[in-house]
């Protein structure tokens, strides 16, 4: 069952069908109840009209045997105050629901007095007993009408009826109750026909709804299936240059396709970046390793020619390069900085004291939250980069602007051309003026500094000072006071 309704199309079809089924059941029940109520109102009106016609004849003094009670009309009973049937329709064989099942009128006799009157009380509830509080004048017909459901057999034909009971005060005869019925065959037939139509039509309508929902959902999800197939093909071929199809519609599926393509673009960029990183790292490592090997081989063959200082220098360079590569790998893996408070102003003064030609301008204390060692690495890389290009000195400034801590490192060198101000942060990038591996390093310092800035929820940008030198700006959130 779970596999049967596991797809989005099946769930949508099932949900739509259930909603429509509930709506149809509610609407069908309302229609049937409304139809039955309207037809019952019509039956009530018809039976009341027949009862009042007979009551009017009685009020006018018409004798029981002269009442218009043909067997072609509705079944009618006339009952006196004692519950005796005094008049009935011709051909009435049996009746229920009127309070009197008698069908043959009995002649009335003068009411006995004294003990005889009490002996005639059979203990039954007569039709007029619960209406004793209804005051009627002789010849007056009561406005109140009581309705009841029952059945009647006329000329051997039994049918269900809706009976109306109307009371009338007849001079010399007392209070009489007239029961007149209206056949319910029309009401029952109409309700039965409507119910049959619903029982046949509702399943057909639900089938149409389910089919249409299934087809519409399949058509709506067709682009999603196209995206899935293309993603499966991309995964199988490992060709990240491919993209999923994007429909012209401005809907959720089109936005999903565009977002998927953006994700593929970011993934392709990341993979290409990693490939370039591996290739550049291999290239950078090959030179010092080859140089170190050459020196060791020469030293093994001619000990007197061994350049110990050069071997140590190459080994140190390899050590620094390996440390930079390891740090970049950790940063790429999402290593989070430590959550400690660091005084950026004190850190700048401490780093400047280890170098010559560095001037520091800072406020008393500007604290940030992060890793002391990583922030020290950022500042050290920026100062080393500035020292390689400056002519006279380096200026470091630390200040707080709102909830941000700003650290700038400026030199008075040749500056950075505008097209290269983002490229300098790429890995293993050395501009023309600093291509020497001995003086310019491996081209990882600024890349590491920017990655650390991003890890601290900040930015690192490169500009030029008004005098033309390079200006690097570190912008990170300041710690809350």
């Amino acid at each position: 069952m779970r596999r049967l309704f596991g797809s989005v199309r099946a769930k949508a079809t099932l949900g739509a069908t259930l909603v429509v089924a509930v709506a149809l059941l509610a609407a069908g029940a309302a229609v049937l109840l409304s139809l039955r109520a309207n037809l019952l109102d019509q039956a009530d009106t018809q039976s009341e009209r027949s009862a009042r016609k007979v009551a009017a004849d009685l009020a006018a003094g018409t004798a029981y045997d002269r009442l218009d009670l043909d067997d072609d009309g509705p079944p009618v009973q006339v009952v006196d105050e004692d519950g005796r049937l005094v008049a009935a329709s011709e051909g009435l064989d049996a009746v229920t629901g009127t309070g009197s099942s008698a069908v043959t009128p009995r002649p009335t006799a003068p009411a006995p007095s004294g003990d005889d009157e009490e002996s005639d009380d059979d203990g039954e509830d007569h039709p007029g007993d619960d209406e004793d509080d209804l005051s009627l004048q002789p010849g007056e017909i009561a406005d109140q009408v009581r309705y009841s459901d029952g059945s009647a057999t006329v000329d051997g034909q039994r049918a269900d009826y809706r009976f109306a009971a109307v009371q009338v005060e007849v001079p010399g005869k007392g209070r009489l109750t007239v029961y007149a019925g209206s056949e319910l065959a029309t009401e029952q037939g109409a309700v039965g026909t409507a119910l049959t139509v619903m029982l046949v039509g509702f399943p057909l309508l639900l089938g149409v709804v389910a089919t249409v929902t299934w087809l519409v959902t399949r058509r709506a999800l067709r682009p999603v299936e196209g995206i899935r197939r293309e993603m499966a093909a991309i995964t199988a071929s490992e060709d990240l240059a491919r993209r999923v199809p994007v429909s012209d519609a401005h809907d959720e599926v089109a936005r999903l396709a565009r977002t998927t393509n953006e994700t593929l673009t970011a993934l392709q960029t990341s993979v290409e970046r990693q490939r370039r990183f591996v290739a550049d790292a291999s290239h950078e490592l090959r030179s010092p390793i080859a140089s170190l090997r050459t020196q060791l081989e020469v030293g093994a063959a001619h000990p007197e020619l061994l350049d110990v200082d050069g071997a140590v220098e190459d080994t140190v360079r390899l050590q620094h390069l390996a440390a930079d590569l390891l740090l970049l790998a950790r940063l790429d893996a999402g290593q989070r900085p430590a959550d400690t408070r660091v005084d950026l102003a004190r850190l700048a003064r401490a780093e400047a004291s280890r170098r010559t030609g560095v001037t520091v301008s800072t406020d008393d204390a500007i604290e940030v939250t992060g890793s002391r060692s990583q922030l020290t690495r950022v500042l050290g890389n920026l100062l080393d980069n500035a020292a390689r290009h400056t002519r006279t000195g380096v200026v470091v400034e630390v200040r707080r602007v709102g909830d941000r801590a700003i650290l700038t490192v400026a030199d008075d060198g040749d500056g950075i051309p505008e097209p290269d101000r983002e490229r300098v942060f790429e890995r293993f990038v050395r501009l023309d003026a600093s291509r020497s591996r001995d003086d310019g390093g491996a081209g990882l310092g600024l890349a590491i500094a920017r990655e650390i800035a991003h890890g601290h929820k900040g930015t690192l940008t490169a500009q030029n000072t008004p005098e033309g030198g390079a200006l690097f700006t570190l912008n990170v959130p300041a710690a809350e006071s």
Side-chain angles (χ1 to χ4, degrees):
M1 184 64 68
R2 179 177 297 180
R3 294 186 60 183
L4 180 61
F5 297 102
S7 65
V8 175
R9 194 184 340 175
K11 292 178 180 178
T13 302
L14 178 61
T17 305
L18 289 177
V19 170
V20 173
V22 172
L24 288 177
L25 287 176
V31 169
L32 289 177
L33 292 176
S34 177
L35 177 62
R36 185 176 184 275
N38 289 334
L39 293 175
L40 283 179
D41 287 342
Q42 295 179 10
D44 290 343
T45 302
Q46 185 176 353
S47 61
E48 180 183 355
R49 186 183 299 114
S50 300
R52 288 192 178 277
K53 180 177 179 299
V54 175
D57 291 341
L58 291 172
T62 304
Y64 296 142
D65 56 356
R66 303 183 67 83
L67 293 174
D68 185 12
L69 303 178
D70 296 336
D71 54 0
D72 293 335
V76 176
Q77 281 183 314
V78 180
V79 182
D80 63 9
E81 290 180 298
D82 298 325
R84 292 190 298 266
L85 182 66
V86 296
S89 299
E90 297 180 5
L92 182 63
D93 300 328
V95 65
T96 61
T98 62
S100 176
S101 59
V103 295
T104 302
R106 290 187 293 172
T108 58
S113 60
D115 296 337
D116 295 336
E117 181 179 357
E118 293 180 2
S119 61
D120 287 342
D121 187 4
D122 55 6
E124 295 181 356
D125 294 331
H126 301 300
D129 291 346
D130 56 351
E131 303 294 340
D132 291 340
D133 56 341
L134 184 62
S135 177
L136 295 177
Q137 299 296 324
E140 183 180 1
I141 302 174
D143 294 332
Q144 183 178 356
V145 183
R146 291 183 292 112
Y147 299 99
S148 60
D149 294 327
S151 63
T153 302
V154 180
D155 294 333
Q157 302 292 327
R158 184 184 179 280
D160 293 328
Y161 284 86
R162 181 74 168 173
F163 289 98
V166 176
Q167 291 188 343
V168 58
E169 188 72 25
V170 179
K173 297 179 181 179
R175 184 173 302 181
L176 303 179
T177 303
V178 180
Y179 293 95
S182 176
E183 191 172 356
L184 296 178
T186 302
E187 179 264 347
Q188 293 173 345
V191 173
T193 301
L195 181 60
T196 301
V197 171
M198 290 180 182
L199 291 178
V200 175
F202 282 7
L204 295 177
L205 183 58
L206 290 178
V208 172
V209 170
T211 303
V212 172
T213 305
W214 179 270
L215 295 177
V216 170
T217 307
R218 183 177 65 178
R219 183 177 181 85
L221 293 178
R222 189 175 299 167
V224 178
E225 178 62 20
I227 295 174
R228 187 202 65 78
R229 285 197 302 266
E230 186 64 24
M231 287 296 295
I234 292 173
T235 302
S237 64
E238 299 183 357
D239 182 9
L240 295 179
R242 299 174 61 173
R243 296 294 180 266
V244 300
V246 180
S247 64
D248 296 332
H250 300 282
D251 55 8
E252 292 80 358
V253 177
R255 290 197 294 270
L256 172 63
R258 286 192 289 268
T259 303
T260 302
N261 286 336
E262 292 172 0
T263 302
L264 288 173
T265 301
L267 182 60
Q268 182 184 13
T269 302
S270 176
V271 171
E272 292 177 352
R273 181 181 180 186
Q274 291 296 328
R275 290 173 179 171
R276 288 197 305 269
F277 175 73
V278 172
D280 293 338
S282 301
H283 179 73
E284 292 293 332
L285 288 170
R286 183 173 57 183
S287 296
I289 290 176
S291 175
L292 182 60
R293 177 181 177 180
T294 300
Q295 295 180 48
L296 293 176
E297 288 177 348
V298 170
H302 305 281
E304 69 279 4
L305 299 179
L306 178 62
D307 184 5
V308 177
D309 293 336
V312 171
E313 183 180 350
D314 286 340
T315 303
V316 170
R317 184 182 173 197
L318 280 174
Q319 182 181 8
H320 289 167
L321 182 57
D324 288 345
L325 293 175
L326 178 60
L327 178 57
L328 279 174
R330 290 175 177 173
L331 294 174
D332 288 341
Q335 182 185 42
R336 296 177 59 87
D339 191 15
T340 58
R341 298 174 75 93
V342 180
D343 189 344
L344 199 59
R346 180 181 298 178
L347 185 65
R349 289 191 292 267
E351 287 297 310
S353 65
R354 300 188 180 95
R355 294 169 172 80
T356 59
V358 179
T359 303
V360 179
S361 174
T362 179
D363 296 336
D364 294 337
I366 302 176
E367 290 187 336
V368 297
T369 301
S371 170
R372 177 181 296 275
S373 61
Q374 291 186 7
L375 292 173
T376 301
R377 183 66 180 274
V378 172
L379 185 55
N381 288 355
L382 294 178
L383 290 175
D384 291 342
N385 179 77
R388 283 195 296 269
H389 299 86
T390 189
R391 295 189 179 93
T392 60
V394 178
V395 177
V396 179
E397 181 181 359
V398 185
R399 66 185 186 277
R400 179 166 181 160
V401 179
D403 59 348
R404 311 291 294 184
I406 310 297
L407 183 147
T408 59
V409 177
D411 61 62
D412 56 357
D414 295 332
I416 304 175
E418 185 173 353
D420 296 327
R421 291 177 186 173
E422 280 298 316
R423 200 166 70 87
V424 295
F425 294 106
E426 296 179 4
R427 300 172 185 184
F428 300 104
V429 170
R430 290 181 293 271
L431 301 183
D432 293 340
S434 59
R435 283 193 179 276
S436 171
R437 287 187 172 86
D438 295 333
D439 297 332
L444 294 177
L446 293 179
I448 291 174
R450 171 166 276 191
E451 292 294 335
I452 293 175
H454 289 169
H456 285 74
K457 300 179 181 180
T459 59
L460 179 61
T461 58
Q463 294 176 321
N464 285 348
T465 64
E467 293 78 16
L471 175 65
F472 288 88
T473 303
L474 174 67
N475 185 328
V476 293
E480 297 180 358
S481 302

